[in-house]
Amino acid sequence: MTSAPSKLYADDVSLLVVTLDTNPFFWTTFSFPFADFLSQVLAFLNSILLLGQLNQVMVIATGCNSCRFVYDSTSDKNHGSTIGTMPALYSNLLHNLDQFVARDRQLASPHAPGTVPSSLLSGSLSMALCYIQRAFRSGPMPPQPRILCLQGAADGPEQYVAIMNAIFSAQHSSVPIDSCYIGSNNSAFLQQASYITDGIYYKPPQLDGLYQYLSTVFATDLHSRAFLRLPKSMGVDFRASCFCHKQTIDMGYVCSVCLSIFCEHHDKCSTCGSVFGQAQLDASAADRKRKA
Amino acid sequence: MGFRCIQCGFPVRTLYVQYSPGNIRLMKCESCKAVADEYIECEIMVPILPYPTGPRLTDIFSTMSSINKQSSFRSLILEGSKGKLGSSKGFSSLVSICWKVVMDVFFGNLMCNDLLLMLMISSYFKIFLVAMMVWEFPSSVIVIIELFCLSSNAVALKEIMNNNAAQRPLNGDADDDDEDDGGGLEAWERTYAEDRSWEALQEDESGLLRPIDNTAIYHAQYRRRLRNLASKAATARIQKGLIRYLYVVVDLSKAASERDFRPSRMAVIGKQVEAFIREFFDQNPLSHVGLVTIKDGIAYCLTELGGSPESHIKALMGKLECSGDASLQNALELVLGYLNQIPSYGHREVLVLYSALSTCDPGDLMETIQKCKKSKIRCSVIGLAAEMFVCKHLCQETGGTYSVALDETHFRELILEHAPPPPAIAEYASANLIKMGFPQRSAEGSVAICTCHEEAKTGGGYTCPRCKVRVCELPTECRICGLTLISSPHLARSYHHLFPIVMFDEVSPSSQNDASLGFSNTCFGCQQSLNSQGNKPGLSVICPKCKQQFCLDCDIYIHESLHNCPGCESSRHLKSLTASQ
């Protein structure tokens, strides 16, 4: 952690915004059941609240068709009223989550069978950042915020620009994005998010012990992180993929108007329609000038 | 102890022989045949002197009588105490100083009585001369006493001069005084007067003081700005010049030391240019900035076009001194020379921060403006003093903007307006495909020599894909093969300029109460209740696409920093719609 927050934060008080992937298409095809996942996450959230009396936890459900706040530890509703034997946290969160999943299903749009549609990570990240801005506005000593993405479904390439926008905004306000990726392959989006915002990216090798991973890696506040040896990023691939063949490339051509990336020379930009008349000519002229 | 002749120092037995009271005869020296001491007749003091050493006596006498002449010494020392001590003075300057002091005395600038009194009192050391005569000190003591005396004279004179200087304005015209001192306020009063902090308070119905709630005003200003930008984008082709080559010209002429901006124009410019450069590279990672300063009528290139904000800021902060006149033409000619070399796809821009009210040019400025126009350089000027025709003409001709800052916050606003890429004018830069490299981060443990610092470094660098040399940071240009090296996030940082989010519509408080519209009365972004105090609904905005409601703070955050609508992003239905469009 090299981030030096310029803002003054309340001592040791964390605001943890968790985005929870509830994509039904992912969980039905995944080997680890959602119920087990949720029970471990709930225990983790509870331990965050127990670690500090003033800690705050927000949970945003990332669905396949919508996103919503499902739990707010500061709201009055979550204290006192307990239904039956369950503590308030569980009952409220589970109740809201139930409602959310049902609503999400209603909104479902048809998709190609056999593929897993991506979750709307860009939406939940945007909502989390809006909420964190509210926390910044709340007073002279806001709690120190961070975002934890519990993501399972694969990246949706159509969200690339939106997720990058959210990442840069988080970097600008020095909010680290931690990510715990449950799915089978590494998520390039979350790797970049954690790398750029100085957060931690971790992919637990064994999901049975998820709580242990969460509590040892993600539970500590930002100040204590400096003293821990947390998992290092394995090296993030910042190479771009070209728009024409979707190949990862080392060297390529970039349109000066719309910044589209191509792996070979074209006469016309397929994205913005600009015509590259004198591209080669100018490039060689520039090269010659440089040599001279 | 015997007497000696004052002419040759030969011992004489006696100086005179007294025949009767008042009738004496002087004795002659045996060696030189002259009168041994001729002064013995004219001195009253002679009888009490133990031995009449003539030359010494005259010496003492001359010092005693020099009280009248001493003003010359005094003025010499006074000039020395004013800071010229140690500088050798010619005889003529000494005379002129004497003359000055004498004239001062005569014309009443210095009060005669005061001066004489001061001289008398401060020359109290002279008393020791008497003691000296009595106790037969060596002659060098005279010099010491003279020194003491002069120094005490000097101190006294300085004191009296200071008093005079302090008193004169009091006696003089008091009107001038008032104008200089900002209405006769004390320094501590002035700091508060400038803040006008009492204007930020208002009295509520119960008589308590509360800060004025100016979020609504602030938000209205912000929306006006946004609307301006949106209309501009609509009229021009929605293309942005994303690859910019910008020269910031900083005017460091005499005018930059004016103190109408606190602490001075120059300091304000330095501070805001630093903020601007950081913001500029944040928004335009593929662009380049260079710094030019104007000083003494000459333009200097402080930094060449480059992509590292730190090096520019460091160079500017080291050179914040101003002198001489400003020359707009020299600056433009210099920048013109540099910008003509950049590749054709780049957008050439100049941002002039001009403090002076004049330009001191070697030739015809209008010709240079036409040259800039021909080279398609977009020149913008931010003035710190007043509007100037030539700046306005320059901006009009080259398609830039001209504005004059009212105060520091306004200046900051104006300069940061230049950070987002301007709408591109199609013929200004030709579309091109630029060859770029996307280097991979080298493994943590590997050791290589980087080309930027020419040092061996362990890990943490990038390798140019074409010539395989190590560079320390991105974006940059490979020093060996000239390939532009970037990473995909740098490109992504610019995408939001290409896909701006729509402006949100304002919701009137009356329609908000309408239950039929189904507003949840909480902001979709931050979950804050949109009902402000009491049950009165506060102002809110609504996204025209996803119909979600947002509070004003979120509205500003979403448009200024996030560049995503959380509502649209969290709805797959809308996303697929926008994608198909």
Side-chain angles (χ1 to χ4, degrees), chain B residues 1 42 50 99 118 139 184 203 225 237 308 373 377 577:
Chain B
M1 173 184 14
C42 21
W99 181 244
M118 179 274 289
S139 61
E203 210 173 323
R225 202 165 69 234
R237 277 177 65 190
S308 154
K373 193 181 177 186
I377 297 175
L577 264 183

Side-chain angles (χ1 to χ4, degrees), chain A residues 131-179:
Chain A
Y131 185 80
I132 285 171
Q133 289 302 312
R134 175 185 162 189
F136 281 148
R137 290 192 298 266
S138 65
M141 294 267 278
Q144 201 163 14
R146 60 184 199 268
I147 299 175
L148 172 61
C149 296
L150 295 170
Q151 195 68 10
D155 299 333
E158 75 280 358
Q159 296 174 34
Y160 178 67
V161 174
I163 287 182
M164 288 317 267
N165 284 342
I167 292 171
F168 293 129
S169 185
Q171 185 198 20
H172 199 75
S173 40
S174 60
V175 176
I177 300 177
D178 299 331
S179 31

Side-chain angles (χ1 to χ4, degrees), chain A residues 64-66 69 118 122 133-134 137 162 165 168-169 171 238 250-254 256 258-259 276 279 282, chain B residues 344 432-436 438 488-489 491 493 495 498 526-527 553 557 561-564 569-572:
Chain A
C64 187
N65 302 299
S66 60
F69 286 94
S118 57
S122 59
Q133 289 302 312
R134 175 185 162 189
R137 290 192 298 266
N165 284 342
F168 293 129
S169 185
Q171 185 198 20
F238 279 129
D250 262 346
M251 253 189 292
Y253 294 93
V254 175
S256 70
C258 64
L259 305 182
F276 310 126
D282 277 346
Chain B
S344 63
N432 249 332
L433 275 183
I434 311 154
K435 191 154 194 180
M436 288 191 184
F438 301 93
S488 51
L491 289 178
R493 224 176 245 277
Y495 283 148
L498 302 170
C526 64
Q527 299 295 298
D553 291 317
Y557 175 67
S561 174
L562 187 59
H563 307 292
N564 275 340
E569 287 305 323
S570 57
S571 155
R572 179 165 300 276

